[in-house]
Amino acid sequence: MARQDLLTPLRAETPLVQCITNYVAMNVAANVVLASGASPAMLHAAEETAEFTPICGALTINIGTLSPPWAKSMLLAAETAKAHNIPWVLDPVAHFVSGYRREVAQNLLALRPTILRGNASEILALGGEAGSGKGADSGDPVEAAEGAAQSLAQNYGSVVVVTGPVDFVTDGAQSLRLSGGSEIMPMVTALGCSLTALMGAYAAVGPAFDAAWSAAAHFKVAGSAAAEKAQGPGSFQTHFLDALAMTKPGDLGAVVRA
Ligand SMILES: Nc1ncnc2c1ncn2[C@@H]1O[C@H](COP(=O)(O)OP(=O)(O)OP(=O)(O)O)[C@@H](O)[C@H]1O
Ligand SMILES: Cc1ncsc1CCO
Ligand SMILES: [Mg+2]
C-alpha cells in the first residue's frame, strides 16, 4: 500500500516557517515554500528570536553564508525552538571547509535537530568519514553516506536525509529511498537549501519521518515534471515552481522505494 503523504495537511494548514538561510537561497527557498503551499518568513535577527520563533510551526537553519552574527542567531533560534517543542531542520552546508564552520555545525547538531538534511559529502563528513565534497556541491555518491546517516540518526535522535540522484531517508530504525527528479537539479543553485526550508513546512504538520520523505518526494515529483518541459537550468526553475504548486496529494508515494 502506498504511504500516506503530508501534502493535504500542508495545504490545509499553510504553516508559518522561519527560514534562516543563506543569501543565495533566500529568494529561491521562499518561492519554493510558497509554491508548495506554506508560508515562509526569512527572519534571522537574534533580537527577534524570542518573540518570533515561538509563533512559527517550524524553524529551518542553513549555514550556507555563515558569519558570527548569523551563527549567534542560529544557535539562539534552535534553542528557542527546542524550548517550545517546535520542530527544526538543520542544513550543514559545506561544514567541512573550515574550522569555524565545522565548530558552528557541531554546536547546532548538539542541539539535536528534528531533521538533518545534507548532500552525501556533508553527511559523510558530519559522521566523521572522509569525503570528496567541493564547497556546497557533493562529490560523493548517496549510498556511501547511508551508514553515516544511520549513525547520525541514532546518535542525535534526528531524521537524516541524504539527497542526490536517489534520496535516502532514515530515522536510524526505518529507512527509505526516493527516485525521480532530474540531472538538471544540481545545476540550479540552492535547490537543496530550498528543500530544507520545505522540510520545515512539512515538519510543522506531521511526524518528522513522514515530513522528511514527503518534502523530498515533493521535490522528486516536481523535478521530474519540470524536466519534461525545461530546455535547461534557466527554464527549469520556472517549471519547477509551477510543478511544485501543481503536485497533488497522493502523487508523492509513487517515488518511494524500500
Ligand atoms: N542527479 C540527480 N538526479 C535527480 N535528482 C537530483 C540529482 N541531484 C540532486 N537531485 C535532487 O536535487 C535536490 C537537491 O539536492 P542536492 O543533493 O543537489 O542538494 P545540495 O547539494 O544541498 O544543493 P544546494 O547546496 O545547491 O542547495 C533534491 O531534491 C535531490 O533529490
Ligand atoms: C553557492 C552557495 N554558496 C554558499 S551557500 C550556496 C547555495 C547552495 O548551497
Ligand atoms: Mg546544500
Side-chain angles (χ1 to χ4, degrees):
M1 200 184 75
R3 285 172 179 264
Q4 186 68 46
D5 66 60
L6 293 177
L7 187 50
T8 298
L10 182 81
R11 297 234 170 100
E13 296 176 37
T14 60
L16 175 62
V17 189
Q18 181 181 4
C19 305
I20 305 183
T21 192
N22 61 74
Y23 294 112
V24 187
M26 273 189 199
N27 182 270
V28 186
N31 275 320
V32 159
V33 171
L34 276 172
S36 302
S39 183
M42 320 316 264
L43 276 66
H44 62 265
E47 290 76 8
E48 292 182 301
T49 289
E51 289 166 274
F52 187 66
T53 306
I55 63 166
C56 292
L59 163 73
T60 72
I61 295 179
N62 171 301
I63 66 167
T65 48
L66 194 61
S67 65
W70 283 68
K72 181 182 158 204
S73 295
M74 290 170 183
L75 286 161
L76 203 58
E79 280 163 3
T80 306
K82 269 187 88 70
H84 288 82
N85 280 321
I86 290 165
W88 73 284
V89 186
L90 175 62
D91 185 338
V93 180
H95 65 92
F96 46 79
V97 302
S98 71
Y100 170 63
R101 201 175 270 262
R102 255 194 307 277
E103 184 187 335
V104 173
Q106 286 298 338
N107 289 342
L108 286 165
L109 187 60
L111 294 171
R112 302 169 74 91
T114 315
I115 302 173
L116 169 68
R117 190 212 65 84
N119 62 41
S121 299
E122 289 158 351
I123 298 301
L124 267 173
L126 265 194
E129 293 179 47
S132 317
K134 198 161 128 199
D137 293 329
S138 180
D140 298 285
V142 170
E143 309 83 69
E146 288 188 3
Q150 277 168 326
S151 305
L152 288 163
Q154 284 159 2
N155 293 343
Y156 293 95
S158 307
V159 172
V160 181
V161 182
V162 189
T163 52
V166 173
D167 297 341
F168 179 71
V169 183
T170 184
D171 65 5
Q174 54 178 331
S175 304
L176 53 77
R177 293 173 185 79
L178 305 162
S179 52
S182 161
E183 287 177 1
I184 301 174
M185 294 175 88
M187 296 166 71
V188 176
T189 194
L191 283 192
C193 313
S194 305
L195 175 55
T196 296
L198 185 61
M199 258 173 209
Y202 274 99
V205 302
F209 188 79
D210 292 337
W213 79 255
S214 292
H218 199 158
F219 258 50
K220 287 297 198 190
V221 169
S224 302
E228 280 179 24
K229 297 187 175 171
Q231 290 174 299
S235 52
F236 181 88
Q237 297 179 67
T238 311
H239 290 300
F240 184 60
L241 284 180
D242 290 351
L244 285 170
M246 286 188 286
T247 302
K248 296 195 173 45
D251 287 353
L252 303 188
V255 296
V256 177
R257 307 195 322 218

